[in-house]
Amino acid sequence: VQLVESGGGSVQAGGSLRLSCAVSGFVYDDYAIGWFRQAPGKEREGVSCISSRDGSTYYADSVKGRFTISIDNAKNTVYLQMNSLKPEDTADYYCAGGVFFTILPGPYDYWGQGTQVTVSS
């Protein structure tokens, strides 16, 4: 299984970015993809997750209403649209794949290499 993130960068507060996670190699048709972030000196935080089976989504309170997760099953790609970005959103963002629909990092078996997001004030 391979997950490859892209789309990170630097933006000013209030701006937008769209992260992509290209997924390959999953044996199962039913899986979950989660987005996580980790800022320097902080623990990894769950941001959002989506089910490939029915498109169910979940968001952390800190991003609810600003971030949108979506999946394109034809392209095997999961997107994280991030709007109204704040300086506190600055972190390395990772996508992860697993069989459990959860925002907790532990149950995810496969991780991407991460992409950096920097939001300046």
Side-chain angles (χ1 to χ4, degrees), residues 23-65:
V23 182
S24 62
F26 259 107
V27 176
Y28 306 106
D29 291 333
D30 184 2
Y31 57 87
I33 299 294
W35 280 100
F36 299 84
R37 65 186 182 187
Q38 188 165 19
K42 294 188 177 181
E43 292 187 355
R44 189 164 293 189
E45 173 192 17
V47 174
S48 182
C49 59
I50 189 166
S51 166
S52 71
R53 177 174 58 86
D54 60 7
S56 297
T57 60
Y58 184 85
Y59 298 93
D61 288 343
S62 58
V63 305
K64 202 172 293 182

Side-chain angles (χ1 to χ4, degrees), residues 68-100:
T68 302
I69 192 170
S70 61
I71 188 167
D72 185 334
N73 284 314
K75 295 182 178 180
N76 292 325
T77 300
V78 174
Y79 302 98
L80 185 68
Q81 178 67 44
M82 306 186 296
N83 298 329
S84 302
L85 283 162
K86 304 175 182 180
E88 50 264 44
D89 294 319
T90 295
D92 291 325
Y93 283 71
Y94 301 85
C95 64
V99 297
F100 297 106

